[in-house]
Amino acid sequence: PLPTSHHDARRALQLMRSRAEEWNIDKERVAAFGGSAGAQICMWLAYSDEMANPDSEDPIERESTRLTCVATSGGQTTNSSEFWRNLFTTLMGPDLDLKSLARPLEDITDPEQVRIAQWGAQTLEEANETASRHAALSNISADDPPIFMSYGMTPSAEPPTDKEKIRGWVIHHVTFGTALKEKTDALEVEAHLKYPGAETEYQSQVEFFVDKLLKK
């Protein structure tokens, strides 16, 4: 269950830093990028406070978890059930049957029970609290690194006509990006939001990373 994958990513980042000399990398300039669920994990790393344990007997755990910058594609910036419900109904209309879009988890079909199991919780309240602690909108603060976000649709784009594509379209919707951009702007954290037709300083993740990681 989640957040196992988040913790795996943290461990991988710390492992990489622990091998910096052997692998000939600059551990002071490290970025992460990912799409969809991978984007969530990258943002959790970027927006979490330092998670290194300087007193650990494990040298890997003593390494920093902070990032220089982060880039995402189609990332979900919140795990709030209310946000997701409002997003689906706003984009698809109030008559949308949300349960029809829910996916089972093995033999669990009830959406609330799926959420509890997904987050390794005992209650829905515990699941919601854990989910919030691993979401960008809940974690970001003024000392966090720059982000480059990209999405495949405009804020005013019409939903796909193919019903099989609706769920994927909504859960990767640019609204997640605009919600985070509003918060980064309020905190004065550097953030770039790219979608079709948007004017941005950087045209791609590569251009963003080159500027942030290679320029001195």
Side-chain angles (χ1 to χ4, degrees):
L2 297 171
T4 303
S5 54
H6 298 69
H7 298 167
D8 286 346
R10 178 182 62 197
R11 178 76 176 183
L13 173 61
Q14 292 175 298
L15 172 65
M16 182 179 65
R17 279 197 161 111
S18 74
R19 302 287 181 87
E21 184 175 353
E22 177 186 350
W23 293 348
N24 192 31
I25 60 175
D26 181 357
K27 67 179 182 179
E28 299 303 319
R29 290 187 288 177
V30 179
F33 70 95
S36 192
Q40 290 190 55
I41 293 171
C42 291
M43 287 185 284
W44 175 73
L45 288 172
Y47 295 154
S48 292
D49 293 334
E50 177 64 76
M51 293 181 281
N53 180 2
D55 300 321
S56 175
E57 295 182 359
D58 181 351
I60 295 175
E61 290 184 355
R62 297 197 292 264
E63 294 289 344
S64 175
T65 60
R66 297 294 280 166
L67 295 174
T68 305
C69 57
V70 61
T72 63
S73 176
Q76 299 83 34
T77 56
T78 178
N79 294 315
S80 165
S81 296
E82 183 179 1
F83 184 100
W84 282 61
R85 282 194 298 269
N86 290 340
L87 178 61
F88 269 98
T89 54
T90 298
L91 295 174
M92 305 306 302
D95 297 329
L96 179 69
D97 180 9
L98 291 174
K99 287 190 175 182
S100 68
L101 296 174
R103 289 184 175 176
L105 183 65
E106 296 181 347
D107 58 344
I108 305 173
T109 57
D110 178 75
E112 289 190 359
Q113 293 301 315
V114 167
R115 186 170 177 83
I116 291 170
Q118 183 181 37
W119 288 98
Q122 297 299 313
T123 65
L124 184 61
E125 181 180 7
E126 181 188 351
N128 289 337
E129 193 275 332
T130 303
S132 178
R133 284 191 287 107
H134 292 83
L137 282 173
S138 305
N139 285 337
I140 190 169
S141 55
D143 62 342
D144 286 332
I147 186 170
F148 178 90
M149 299 176 282
S150 61
Y151 292 86
M153 75 290 290
T154 65
S156 60
E158 292 293 323
T161 55
D162 185 346
K163 291 184 179 180
E164 296 297 319
K165 296 181 179 180
I166 288 176
R167 184 179 184 278
W169 183 80
V170 175
I171 67 175
H172 301 105
H173 200 272
V174 67
T175 297
F176 288 105
T178 56
L180 183 60
K181 186 70 167 66
E182 290 176 3
K183 193 159 187 179
T184 56
D185 288 350
L187 292 170
E188 297 185 345
V189 173
E190 182 181 347
H192 306 271
L193 176 59
K194 183 172 178 58
Y195 54 82
E199 294 184 6
T200 55
E201 180 177 349
Y202 303 102
Q203 297 305 307
S204 68
Q205 290 183 357
V206 172
E207 186 179 335
F208 172 74
F209 280 144
V210 166
D211 187 53
K212 299 302 179 186
L213 297 173
L214 299 184
K215 289 185 178 180
K216 294 185 179 180

